[in-house]
Amino acid sequence: MAQPTGRSFMQVLCEKYSPENFPYRRGPGMGVHVPATPQGSPMKDRLNLPSVLVLNSCGITCAGDEKEIAAFCAHVSELDLSDNKLKDWHEVSKIVSNVPQLEFLNLSSNPLNLSVLERTCAGSFSGVRKLVLNNSKASWETVHTILQELPDLEELFLCLNDYETVSCPSICCHSLKLLHITDNNLQDWTEIRKLGVMFPSLDTLVLANNHLNAIEEPGDSLARLFPNLRSISLHKSGLHSWEDIDKLNSFPKLEEVRLLGIPLLEPYTTEERRKLVIARLPSVSKLNGSVVTDGEREDSERFFIRYYVDVPQEEVPFRYHELITKYGKLEPLAEVDLRPQSSAKVEVHFNDQVEEISIRLDQTVAELKKQLKTLVQLPTSNMLLYYFDHEAPFGPEEMKYSSRALHSFGIRDGDKIYVDSKTK
């Protein structure tokens, strides 16, 4: 039988963690000692192997000497073999079967779709709790075999695998708590509901960057499908109806939702998006990664009532009536324009004459004098101005400083400007 060609797992391990590249640190558990074999080992007597091995993008195609893997990796709990050239499940099995403490395994971006995973091989993965198969193009048959042989699997990553459908196995997996299946092509809800059947204990479901266009399921059925779901990500899905958002309330344990980048919310402002979603999901305590405080919830629910107050009754969502019961009918908030006034109509008094004129409030006292020069027939150098606020209890205020802006006096419509002559 021909030996696999290319770099072996053991070869890369020796190169990366050799004393020359990764100096030995003294202390318990810091190193592994392997006595030299009669034939002589190509490795040093000691390798400084941590319990977490990262061997990604190293060109690994095969396992290498299994006895040496067993000797050096007995304490390893996490192994990252992503972006290598492993295409034979038998070679992966040779590695994993000799790492007895392994709980986390990352096989992303290896061409493992080129071989069939047999149950005898999958049995070597039995202790793994977290498995990453992103961009491995693993078939559903491969996934089913893994699920049968990994009784303690808790987290599974199946992103970037070009799935358009989901294939259900004959038995379900009760151990799985978290499923990442982002960046696939799952458009129809009938495919997503299969995940609920497969994984009845699911706590977290990450469906981001799929093209799911609707949640086509009655509320009572949703509750039975995902009875333990606490968190769901629908980021950049195709949801375009508020009814789909309302259906999330059917998940009995749902606490966290991610809904950024969906067509439904595109027409709304950032404030409207968050408040309208919070008001519709009374049990959700975290939205798009941010905690929903009690104060924010009340603000959002009150905003929701005011948002729909003028909408025809046949178009008002059911949640509106629930919130009316809670808060009563609310008057629209008064619109207060806090922008500074740009102009004012004032009375200009000079001698016995009174003229009403409009003045710009962004100009200075000196510029106002120029505006009044023609009206009062006085040179600006001989002009005294006094401002009188018709609501103020005090008398007129002399406008002494030529560079002072008029808006700083608080001038409003109906106020008076008195003009006097210095030589009078």
Side-chain angles (χ1 to χ4, degrees):
M1 181 176 177
Q3 292 295 316
T5 58
R7 305 185 76 203
S8 73
F9 170 82
M10 205 59 230
Q11 178 186 352
V12 169
L13 193 68
C14 292
E15 290 174 1
K16 181 167 184 177
Y17 294 102
S18 69
E20 290 81 7
N21 296 332
F22 201 87
Y24 177 75
R25 294 171 293 171
R26 297 187 180 279
M30 291 296 183
V32 178
H33 175 68
V34 178
T37 61
Q39 294 81 14
S41 171
M43 299 176 289
K44 302 292 182 181
D45 283 348
R46 290 183 183 273
L47 288 184
N48 185 17
L49 291 186
S51 60
V52 177
L53 296 184
V54 180
L55 299 174
N56 62 309
S57 306
C58 293
I60 297 172
T61 60
C62 57
D65 191 308
E66 291 186 64
K67 291 182 179 178
E68 291 182 337
I69 296 174
F72 280 87
C73 298
H75 68 300
V76 171
S77 60
E78 297 188 19
L79 179 57
D80 184 353
L81 293 173
S82 61
D83 199 25
N84 279 289
K85 298 178 180 179
L86 291 161
K87 60 183 180 181
D88 190 336
W89 282 105
H90 285 92
E91 294 301 317
V92 177
S93 178
K94 290 177 185 177
I95 298 170
V96 175
S97 62
N98 289 291
V99 188
Q101 303 299 319
L102 191 64
E103 294 187 350
F104 172 89
L105 176 62
N106 188 350
L107 294 172
S108 297
S109 300
N110 281 281
L112 289 165
N113 59 313
L114 301 177
S115 69
V116 175
L117 175 60
E118 298 171 359
R119 289 192 63 174
T120 51
C121 283
S124 62
F125 295 72
S126 59
V128 172
R129 295 179 181 273
K130 301 177 183 179
L131 179 63
V132 186
L133 295 174
N134 297 339
N135 196 35
S136 65
K137 307 302 184 277
S139 67
W140 282 110
E141 288 72 23
T142 294
V143 174
H144 297 165
T145 302
I146 288 171
L147 295 177
Q148 285 180 297
E149 299 300 323
L150 275 65
D152 299 319
L153 186 65
E154 296 177 358
E155 299 183 9
L156 179 61
F157 295 75
L158 298 174
C159 312
L160 295 161
N161 282 335
D162 299 333
Y163 296 139
E164 294 183 0
T165 61
V166 175
S167 173
C168 273
S170 55
I171 58 172
C172 56
C173 175
H174 289 273
S175 62
L176 200 74
K177 299 291 189 292
L178 179 148
L179 176 64
H180 273 255
I181 194 164
T182 68
D183 296 278
N184 283 287
N185 300 306
L186 301 174
Q187 301 182 32
D188 198 279
W189 176 255
T190 57
E191 303 306 320
I192 306 303
R193 77 183 315 278
K194 295 175 187 176
L195 300 176
V197 174
M198 290 170 65
F199 308 115
S201 302
L202 208 59
D203 171 277
T204 301
L205 176 59
V206 185
L207 289 167
N209 295 350
N210 278 281
H211 306 288
L212 178 66
N213 48 40
I215 301 177
E216 298 168 333
E217 190 87 31
D220 55 346
S221 179
L222 281 176
R224 292 193 299 271
L225 271 176
F226 294 96
N228 297 293
L229 194 66
R230 186 194 56 80
S231 174
I232 189 169
S233 173
L234 295 163
H235 177 66
K236 289 191 176 178
S237 63
L239 298 181
H240 57 272
S241 168
W242 282 113
E243 291 181 2
D244 295 320
I245 309 304
D246 292 336
K247 284 183 179 180
L248 298 178
N249 289 309
S250 300
F251 299 130
K253 296 186 179 179
L254 193 67
E255 298 176 355
E256 181 176 355
V257 175
R258 290 182 181 268
L259 283 171
L260 292 173
I262 64 174
L264 168 66
L265 299 178
E266 286 178 3
Y268 300 90
T269 66
T270 301
E271 179 189 26
E272 288 171 342
R273 290 170 190 168
R274 185 166 176 87
K275 287 186 173 180
L276 292 176
V277 171
I278 289 173
R280 284 179 179 265
L281 300 177
S283 298
V284 168
S285 57
K286 186 179 285 188
L287 177 63
N288 299 327
S290 297
V291 172
V292 179
T293 64
D294 292 341
E296 184 182 21
R297 175 161 300 287
E298 180 173 343
D299 288 345
S300 299
E301 291 175 345
R302 289 179 176 273
F303 177 89
F304 189 89
I305 291 174
R306 292 188 173 102
Y307 188 88
Y308 285 101
V309 70
D310 294 325
V311 173
Q313 281 297 307
E314 62 272 15
E315 298 178 21
V316 170
F318 179 74
R319 181 64 176 154
Y320 174 84
H321 301 292
E322 292 180 334
L323 292 176
I324 287 292
T325 302
K326 183 176 180 179
Y327 296 104
K329 288 192 175 181
L330 304 177
E331 294 296 326
L333 293 174
E335 292 188 10
V336 180
D337 190 352
L338 299 177
R339 293 173 298 179
Q341 196 172 339
S342 61
S343 64
K345 288 184 178 181
V346 298
E347 291 182 0
V348 177
H349 292 249
F350 177 65
N351 293 335
D352 295 328
Q353 300 177 22
V354 179
E355 293 283 345
E356 186 179 72
I357 66 171
S358 179
I359 60 173
R360 287 188 0 259
L361 298 180
D362 61 346
Q363 63 182 334
T364 62
V365 171
E367 290 170 331
L368 175 60
K369 286 182 177 181
K370 291 179 182 179
Q371 181 182 350
L372 297 175
K373 180 179 177 181
T374 304
L375 179 66
V376 300
Q377 297 296 309
L378 282 175
T380 57
S381 59
N382 197 31
M383 199 182 295
L384 293 173
L385 299 184
Y386 299 87
Y387 162 62
F388 180 72
D389 180 352
H390 67 284
E391 293 184 359
F394 309 107
E397 175 185 358
E398 184 178 354
M399 304 171 82
K400 292 181 182 180
Y401 305 105
S402 298
S403 60
R404 183 174 174 182
L406 297 188
H407 63 72
S408 67
F409 290 92
I411 298 173
R412 291 165 294 176
D413 292 340
D415 288 349
K416 300 174 183 179
I417 303 289
Y418 289 89
V419 184
D420 206 350
S421 170
K422 290 182 180 179
T423 58
K424 186 176 178 180

